Amino acid sequence: MTTAPFFSPSLSGLHSARASPVPKSSARSGAGVAFPARPYGPSLRLRSPVIMATTGVGGNGSAVASEDSAVSCRLGEVKRVTKETNVHVKINLDGTGVADCSTGIPFLDHMLDQLASHGLFDVYVKATGDTHIDDHHSNEDIALAIGTALLQALGDRKGINRFGHFTAPLDEAAVEIILDLSGRPHLSCGLSIPTARVGTYDTQLVEHFFQSIVNTSGMTLHIRQLAGNNSHHIIEASFKAFARALRQATEYDLRRHGTIPSSKGVLSRS
């Protein structure tokens, strides 16, 4: 498979005042995270019927395609520029877990590494912002851009599992994530984080991060804390569980043969 590496762009030259998908014809060259040189959005191509008996089952219960199938990589790329922040996000839903993230918020970088590693997504995030005030604007705009990139990569959501459910422990902490790529944004967050900060990161921003992803991606997301008294552990378990649930939801259900997983026949953001 031909690959073209991602480059680390200079964000100072961007002029857009809102999140905007990058044109499909954008060039990608230079050093950095290598993503497949594929069109943006989803594409499922099965050259022959595939059944579970011949494909096997993945680590989270999802079907694994055989050599007779070819699934194109689903990519999303968004640049969001405001007076407060400058954000560039790229995501490959069919990646290998590579993260290249520099947000100006060290703890958020660490959490985005979890999203990539445990979701097996390739995640590129470069952001600058008014963090001399606080992390609120950068935290929000990064999440909005990730949600928009996810929306772009999923397209019409044909053939995906749609639903994801995972519980992740981290020492004394355990967090359950239930999500539905329904096109309907909703967040129920039941986290009880005991401290106001982890390092310099305001723990109130955790819920706001997930709310922002939900708003732009069109996702129904339930977060439930089952146990935990260490703030770092609770937040990290949340991101790990979210990554695994999102991976499950975005993977293909080969028995659907590329159909939309809805009795209505459509899953739309609206």
Side-chain angles (χ1 to χ4, degrees):
M1 178 174 63
T2 302
T3 61
F6 268 177
F7 63 97
S8 298
S10 172
L11 300 182
S12 60
L14 300 177
H15 302 291
S16 171
R18 59 186 177 86
S20 59
V22 173
K24 296 181 182 180
S25 60
S26 296
R28 301 169 189 85
S29 61
V33 179
F35 277 29
R38 299 291 186 110
Y40 284 87
S43 176
L44 175 64
R45 304 192 311 277
L46 299 179
R47 288 197 290 265
S48 61
V50 185
I51 59 174
M52 293 289 287
T54 60
T55 59
V57 177
N60 63 2
S62 299
V64 176
S66 73
E67 293 180 358
D68 291 331
S69 66
V71 180
S72 293
C73 292
R74 297 163 292 170
L75 311 177
E77 181 174 4
V78 171
K79 293 178 181 179
R80 177 183 174 89
V81 182
T82 71
K83 292 180 179 180
E84 299 165 338
T85 65
N86 196 321
V87 179
H88 188 184
V89 167
K90 303 178 187 181
I91 188 167
N92 178 1
L93 297 181
D94 304 298
T96 58
V98 177
D100 182 4
C101 301
S102 178
T103 66
I105 308 171
F107 185 76
L108 184 58
D109 290 345
H110 179 44
M111 293 303 102
L112 294 176
D113 286 347
Q114 308 309 310
L115 177 62
S117 176
H118 295 281
L120 290 180
F121 309 123
D122 292 341
V123 179
Y124 170 100
V125 180
K126 290 294 181 286
T128 58
D130 56 0
T131 53
H132 61 283
I133 298 174
D134 66 10
D135 295 339
H136 182 97
H137 295 142
S138 290
N139 181 85
E140 178 181 23
D141 287 358
I142 289 164
L144 289 171
I146 291 173
T148 304
L150 177 61
L151 176 71
Q152 182 189 132
L154 285 170
D156 57 16
R157 312 184 188 204
K158 286 182 178 179
I160 63 170
N161 286 318
R162 173 179 167 178
F163 300 100
H165 183 196
F166 199 85
T167 301
L170 180 55
D171 296 346
E172 89 297 341
V175 176
E176 179 183 31
I177 295 285
I178 305 168
L179 64 84
D180 176 10
L181 298 177
S182 60
R184 300 184 300 274
H186 173 82
L187 173 67
S188 293
C189 184
L191 295 179
S192 298
I193 303 171
T195 62
R197 293 188 178 275
V198 174
T200 61
Y201 186 74
D202 183 352
T203 56
Q204 291 185 92
L205 297 181
V206 175
E207 181 173 352
H208 194 53
F209 181 89
F210 285 114
Q211 183 67 70
S212 298
I213 284 185
V214 162
N215 287 347
T216 50
S217 67
M219 176 192 304
T220 297
L221 176 62
H222 293 263
I223 306 173
R224 184 169 62 156
Q225 181 178 327
L226 305 179
N229 50 48
N230 179 284
S231 297
H232 189 135
H233 291 173
I234 294 166
I235 299 169
E236 186 168 337
S238 300
F239 274 82
K240 286 178 175 177
F242 176 70
R244 288 299 298 268
L246 186 60
R247 171 184 165 189
Q248 185 181 51
T250 57
E251 285 183 340
Y252 285 118
D253 178 353
L254 298 179
R255 293 179 61 195
R256 287 199 169 274
H257 301 287
T259 60
I260 294 173
S262 171
S263 58
K264 298 182 182 68
V266 63
L267 288 172
S268 74
R269 172 62 180 81
S270 59

